[in-house]
């Protein structure tokens, strides 16, 4: 079955970077885009961007341009999302999700990133 | 960016009764390929979101048939025919027609 398993929770200081991983299994990794979506505590969902695991091509929301980088390791079926210049309001649960069914059909369990001094 | 507006933001429902959530987009979600990329997601407490409905009215695999979606253009509706206890959570509409993808604010469904 399709599974997306994310790395564990992180605590970072303002200005630092965080790198979250998302390991895919149960399907052909290169066939489906991976999106990143975040959710601040008690808030709604915010789309950050996507990566084409086949080509490495990316599209990011303008809000995150220059601060987010998504990469992939096709040999391990892992996608990484790195967010730099962390601010307090980057505290959120970060989800990876597979782009399919014209939407996002399978989701990782989420990774809590806490930005705290 | 396309703004997605959901109403109501909170919906207390009696078990076994229907529930309806509306989602309106700030511009048409009809893609140049003719499809309308509007989907509905459910997020149960403490869980990641789960896809329920895609392209307005298509139920995703394993989704009970008490969930249905309808609409066109800029106005869309998610209906639950008879609410069950496991339906408690927050429901989001999402558009995948244009970048960036955007979500509604969420509608909390709770049992009265």
């Amino acid at each position: 079955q399709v599974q997306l398993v994310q790395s564990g929770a992180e605590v970072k200081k303002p200005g630092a970077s965080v790198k979250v991983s998302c390991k895919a299994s149960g399907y052909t990794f290169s066939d489906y885009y991976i999106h990143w979506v975040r959710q601040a505590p008690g808030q709604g969902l915010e789309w950050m961007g996507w990566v084409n695991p086949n080509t490495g091509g990316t599209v990011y929301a303008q809000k995150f341009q220059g601060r987010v980088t998504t990469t992939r390791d096709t040999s391990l079926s892992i996608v990484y999302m790195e967010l730099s210049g962390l601010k307090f309001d980057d505290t959120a649960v970060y989800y990876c999700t597979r782009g399919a069914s014209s939407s996002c059909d399978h989701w990782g369990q989420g990774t809590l990133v806490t930005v705290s001094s | 960016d396309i703004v997605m507006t959901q109403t109501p933001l909170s919906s207390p429902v009696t078990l076994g009764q229907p529930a309806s959530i509306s989602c309106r987009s700030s511009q048409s979600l009809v893609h140049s390929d003719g499809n309308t990329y509007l989907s509905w997601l459910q997020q149960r407490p403490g869980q990641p979101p789960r896809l329920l409905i895609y392209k307005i009215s298509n139920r995703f695999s394993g989704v009970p048939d008490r969930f249905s979606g309808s609409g066109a253009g800029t106005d869309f509706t998610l209906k639950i025919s008879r609410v069950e206890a496991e339906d408690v959570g927050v429901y989001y509409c999402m558009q995948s027609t244009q970048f960036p993808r955007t979500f509604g604010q969420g509608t909390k469904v709770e049992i009265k």
Side-chain angles (χ1 to χ4, degrees), chain A residues 21-59:
Chain A
S21 68
C22 171
K23 180 169 176 56
S25 61
Y27 70 97
T28 302
F29 177 70
S30 57
D31 282 354
Y32 297 89
Y33 288 31
I34 293 290
H35 301 244
W36 289 91
V37 174
R38 76 177 186 179
Q39 186 171 37
Q43 302 300 308
L45 302 170
E46 182 176 32
W47 186 82
M48 299 178 68
W50 78 4
V51 61
N52 179 339
N54 190 35
T55 65
T58 55
V59 174

Side-chain angles (χ1 to χ4, degrees), chain B residues 43-61:
Chain B
Q43 188 173 32
R44 291 170 172 151
Q47 297 293 313
R50 166 197 178 202
L51 178 62
L52 294 178
I53 302 281
Y54 63 96
K55 286 200 290 186
I56 302 177
S57 59
N58 296 274
R59 269 189 305 277
F60 186 58
S61 174

Side-chain angles (χ1 to χ4, degrees), chain A residues 35 37 39 43-47 50 59 61 95 100-110, chain B residues 37 39 41 43 47-51 53-55 60 92 94 96 99-105:
Chain A
H35 301 244
V37 174
Q39 186 171 37
Q43 302 300 308
L45 302 170
E46 182 176 32
W47 186 82
W50 78 4
V59 174
Y95 293 103
S101 302
S102 310
S103 181
C104 294
D105 70 346
H106 288 85
W107 293 66
Q109 83 276 20
Chain B
Y37 296 108
S39 51
L41 306 164
Q43 188 173 32
Q47 297 293 313
R50 166 197 178 202
L51 178 62
I53 302 281
Y54 63 96
K55 286 200 290 186
F60 186 58
Y92 296 93
M94 170 188 172
S96 303
F99 288 107
R101 308 308 195 214
T102 48
F103 298 88
Q105 322 94 298

Side-chain angles (χ1 to χ4, degrees), chain A residues 11-25:
Chain A
V11 179
K12 295 291 183 181
K13 293 193 182 305
S17 297
V18 67
K19 193 170 186 177
V20 179
S21 68
C22 171
K23 180 169 176 56
S25 61

Side-chain angles (χ1 to χ4, degrees), chain A residues 43-81:
Chain A
Q43 302 300 308
L45 302 170
E46 182 176 32
W47 186 82
M48 299 178 68
W50 78 4
V51 61
N52 179 339
N54 190 35
T55 65
T58 55
V59 174
Y60 302 127
Q62 189 165 15
K63 174 177 179 176
F64 300 101
Q65 292 268 8
R67 279 213 305 145
V68 68
T69 304
T70 55
T71 55
R72 87 282 190 224
D73 183 330
T74 53
S75 66
L76 297 176
S77 299
I78 296 178
V79 172
Y80 301 94
M81 187 281 297

